[in-house]
Amino acid sequence: MKELICIVCPRGCRLTVNENNDYAVTGNSCKRGEVYGKAEVTAPVRVVTSTVRVLQDGRVPSRDRAVRCPVKTSDAIPKGLIFDAVKAIEAASVKPPVRIGDVIIPHICGTQADLVATKNII
Amino acid sequence: MYDLIIIGGGPAGLAAAVKAKECGLKKVMICERSTELGGILNQCIHNGFGLTYFKEELTGPEYASRFIDMLKETDVEVRTDTMVLDISPEKEVHMVSPAMGYRVEKAKAVILAMGCRERSRGALSIPGTRPAGVYTAGAAQKYVNIDGYLPGRRVVILGSGDIGLIMARRLTLEGCKVLACVELNEYSSGLNRNIVQCLNDYDIPLLLSHTVTNISGDRRVERVTVSEVDNKTKQPIPGTEQYFDCDTLLLSVGLIPENELSRDAGINLDPRTKGPYVYDNMETSLPGVFACGNVLHVHDLVDFVTQEAQRAAAAAAEYVKKGQPERGEVLDVKTAGGVTYTVPQQICPADLEGDTKVSFRVNRVFGKSRIVVSSGDRELFTQKKPFMMPGEMQNVMLPADILKAAEDSITVEARED
């Protein structure tokens, strides 16, 4: 039996996952909690958020313009890949204009998730 | 003459502006002191916003952009780089900006949506030297996420509020070593999910019932001393000192509604929330001036800020169209049994239809418990709560008929089963 706190939403349900009974989840208030509980014990995943450099004509824009573009992985990726993803993000940059959802790194770290922009930058 | 001037272009101001247009107001202005709309959401690049309101998980900038896009469909006048200096009782709003200089604009109604600011080292009286390297967590968040700088390399975080927890993860991902998160109370004031995904995921120790008792360093922070505290007296226990060699101390020790404008306008403030006293329509003690979001009381979820702002804007629209409502009998909302405050603090039952949302916080961790609302010695309403903690704002929806049945005041009380 593993006890977890659900992180799907801010409610923070206290889950119990039974490894000996097909990872049955109890203590959850919704279906998403059950999915989280199972995944957390078998193959934990996280959405990674960070920022990438904004480059205008190959240079950092002047201070009155945005110099960082916030990004996220479009889906949760395996927890073990978080630091690899962060390395890939550090090497990336974007050129304005950027729209929310623009793909910056497709299939980041070989996953099904893309790294996408989370802010419109003109 | 404007129908409505909204002070602050963060989540509360944005939602209020969109709602005010939906309610049919014509001339609406938002004043925002920063260069862009969105407020603190712009630097909150992590996800977890919008689960209640949009039923999906968004980052802060994405949440803000939903409302900024809605606002673009309207004719709301947006004045960025604009600092409001004063609001007169006649609702003349004094403002200054590089583009337009000093202006005085008059409005039929005003919505206060200025948000809050962080408690800083000065509010804590931590002994020690005064070196560089002591930041509030939100300031560090801006340096990292907006400006692209790291505030330091080896970090201790005092306080386990959500911004501190989020910054523990953020700095770890950016290559810093976060040595510990230190919390005075025996529980964290942050959301449980943030303790899991920001501290536990990265093996960052959370030291409950501990505090920073000394900061040392000449030009830059070199070391902080952390001591255990007595849970009753909150005083450090001699002999329990631990030393952390670090170059940065982040403070995540609470937020204070930013009410200088409200105070100067003569609006009555509640010492418990540090925000204005409001009626159930979010109107302050100054007729035609409404408040919502973190300027009213500090929220943990932006979704609730949005809902509160919509409530304030709908009421402001009513006020503009129909003038000051007849209040009739006014019920004071009192607190008992671990409930520290309520918003609203006063309810006018006469015109109520549907449910009235009352938000509150508790002062300790509650297991299985009930919220009891009573008037005199009559219990009018109870609701079960499986779990409550000070870090999570609670809400009850009170039906109109029970409020109409109350006399003089109602009392909101938490009772542990």
Side-chain angles (χ1 to χ4, degrees):
Chain A
M1 300 285 260
K2 265 212 163 140
E3 299 206 347
L4 303 172
I5 290 170
C6 183
I7 63 168
V8 169
C9 82
R11 188 164 177 165
C13 293
R14 284 155 176 73
L15 310 179
T16 308
V17 185
N18 189 345
E19 297 105 314
N20 302 322
N21 181 18
D22 194 25
Y23 300 98
V25 180
T26 48
N28 55 307
S29 318
C30 73
K31 178 76 189 159
R32 296 173 68 207
E34 187 185 334
V35 173
Y36 168 79
K38 252 181 206 155
E40 188 65 11
V41 174
T42 53
V45 292
R46 296 286 185 270
V47 169
V48 177
T49 64
S50 187
T51 65
V52 298
R53 211 177 268 116
V54 175
L55 290 179
Q56 188 97 52
D57 306 322
R59 290 165 44 192
V60 176
S62 62
R63 296 302 307 173
D64 56 342
R65 310 290 296 267
V67 296
R68 308 295 302 184
C69 175
V71 295
K72 70 174 181 185
T73 55
S74 57
D75 270 308
I77 65 168
K79 229 171 122 176
L81 290 177
I82 291 176
F83 281 94
D84 292 337
V86 166
K87 262 201 192 111
I89 292 168
E90 197 191 347
S93 64
V94 290
K95 184 174 176 290
V98 181
R99 298 290 307 169
I100 290 177
D102 281 1
V103 174
I104 297 166
I105 305 176
H107 299 295
I108 187 164
C109 300
T111 64
Q112 290 302 305
D114 299 327
L115 188 76
V116 297
T118 57
K119 191 173 183 185
N120 298 325
I121 293 177
I122 309 153
Chain B
M1 174 78 107
Y2 285 82
D3 280 347
L4 175 65
I5 294 180
I6 298 165
I7 303 170
L14 287 168
V18 172
K19 184 70 179 180
K21 289 310 288 186
E22 277 173 24
C23 292
L25 290 191
K26 300 228 155 48
K27 277 192 86 179
V28 177
M29 185 207 298
I30 297 188
C31 301
E32 165 57 47
R33 72 178 164 195
S34 177
T35 51
E36 61 176 348
L37 293 170
I40 205 71
L41 287 171
N42 287 322
Q43 69 183 58
C44 296
I45 62 162
H46 54 282
N47 63 335
F49 301 90
L51 277 163
T52 306
Y53 190 76
F54 289 113
K55 309 284 180 238
E56 58 182 306
E57 194 156 6
L58 303 171
T59 65
E62 289 174 312
Y63 191 97
S65 81
R66 294 281 171 106
F67 284 93
I68 292 170
D69 289 347
M70 286 183 236
L71 196 67
K72 278 187 187 143
E73 302 297 312
T74 70
D75 59 357
V76 170
E77 181 180 344
V78 177
R79 291 195 187 170
T80 51
D81 284 313
T82 300
M83 181 78 187
V84 172
L85 303 173
D86 192 47
I87 308 162
S88 76
E90 295 73 38
K91 295 186 279 291
E92 291 157 337
V93 181
H94 296 243
M95 59 188 78
V96 63
S97 70
M100 303 178 85
Y102 191 95
R103 292 281 181 114
V104 181
E105 306 287 4
K106 197 163 162 44
K108 292 175 190 161
V110 170
I111 292 182
L112 306 173
M114 293 91 79
C116 60
R117 61 164 165 259
E118 298 178 277
R119 286 179 79 208
S120 60
R121 182 178 178 182
L124 299 179
S125 39
I126 306 171
T129 54
R130 288 282 185 271
V134 182
Y135 305 93
T136 58
Q141 189 178 44
K142 178 173 185 291
Y143 296 147
V144 176
N145 293 343
I146 305 283
D147 300 330
Y149 293 109
L150 286 182
R153 292 282 172 188
R154 288 175 63 83
V155 184
V156 170
I157 300 176
L158 174 60
S160 58
D162 287 310
I163 314 170
L165 299 176
I166 292 290
M167 283 312 291
R169 171 177 64 183
R170 185 78 192 105
L171 289 169
T172 303
L173 291 179
E174 290 298 329
C176 301
K177 177 73 186 163
V178 179
L179 302 166
C181 182
V182 181
E183 167 62 52
L184 178 70
N185 293 311
E186 59 262 60
Y187 52 84
S188 164
S189 54
L191 297 173
N192 271 325
R193 68 190 305 238
N194 285 337
I195 294 171
V196 174
Q197 60 184 356
C198 298
L199 298 185
N200 300 358
D201 271 8
Y202 301 96
D203 300 319
I204 299 167
L206 172 60
L207 303 176
L208 297 172
S209 306
H210 281 72
T211 194
V212 171
T213 47
N214 195 38
I215 300 172
S216 52
D218 179 17
R219 295 168 68 97
R220 179 82 197 188
V221 174
E222 286 164 17
R223 166 181 278 191
V224 300
T225 309
V226 171
S227 303
E228 202 176 331
V229 294
D230 184 304
N231 279 331
K232 292 227 167 61
T233 62
K234 301 289 175 202
Q235 292 302 308
I237 302 170
T240 61
E241 294 83 1
Q242 305 176 48
Y243 303 96
F244 291 95
D245 291 324
C246 58
D247 55 24
T248 302
L249 175 66
L250 296 192
L251 305 177
S252 175
V253 290
L255 301 167
I256 305 167
E258 196 163 335
N259 275 297
E260 282 71 19
L261 281 175
S262 328
R263 193 177 296 116
D264 290 347
I267 291 169
N268 293 339
L269 300 182
D270 184 337
R272 301 168 302 174
T273 56
K274 301 186 174 61
Y277 281 103
V278 287
Y279 295 99
D280 50 277
N281 65 349
M282 300 292 127
E283 190 171 7
T284 68
S285 61
L286 190 59
V289 178
F290 300 77
C292 54
N294 281 353
V295 79
L296 180 56
H297 58 140
V298 174
H299 295 62
D300 10 83
L301 295 180
V302 71
D303 303 67
F304 293 140
V305 169
T306 298
Q307 290 167 356
E308 196 172 272
Q310 291 170 338
R311 189 171 163 188
E318 283 283 293
Y319 178 91
V320 170
K321 288 184 220 160
K322 297 184 190 158
Q324 181 71 33
E326 274 298 319
R327 291 219 183 277
E329 194 199 2
V330 176
L331 296 176
D332 283 323
V333 185
K334 296 180 174 167
T335 61
V339 175
T340 51
Y341 74 83
T342 65
V343 167
Q345 293 90 343
Q346 289 179 305
I347 295 176
C348 312
D351 289 334
L352 286 182
E353 293 162 23
D355 295 349
T356 299
K357 186 179 189 176
V358 174
S359 304
F360 61 93
R361 279 180 199 274
V362 291
N363 64 357
R364 62 180 174 88
V365 176
F366 278 76
K368 235 179 150 185
S369 44
R370 277 171 306 146
I371 303 303
V372 179
V373 178
S374 52
S375 182
D377 47 13
R378 286 178 303 145
E379 284 188 11
L380 301 172
F381 176 91
T382 63
Q383 186 177 334
K384 285 183 184 158
K385 292 276 180 182
F387 180 78
M388 294 188 289
M389 55 186 264
E392 289 182 18
M393 188 197 291
Q394 304 292 326
N395 298 297
V396 285
M397 302 298 289
L398 300 180
D401 54 329
I402 81 123
L403 290 168
K404 287 183 206 279
E407 279 173 59
D408 297 332
S409 68
I410 58 170
T411 303
V412 180
E413 185 182 353
R415 288 187 200 156
E416 199 154 15
D417 288 342

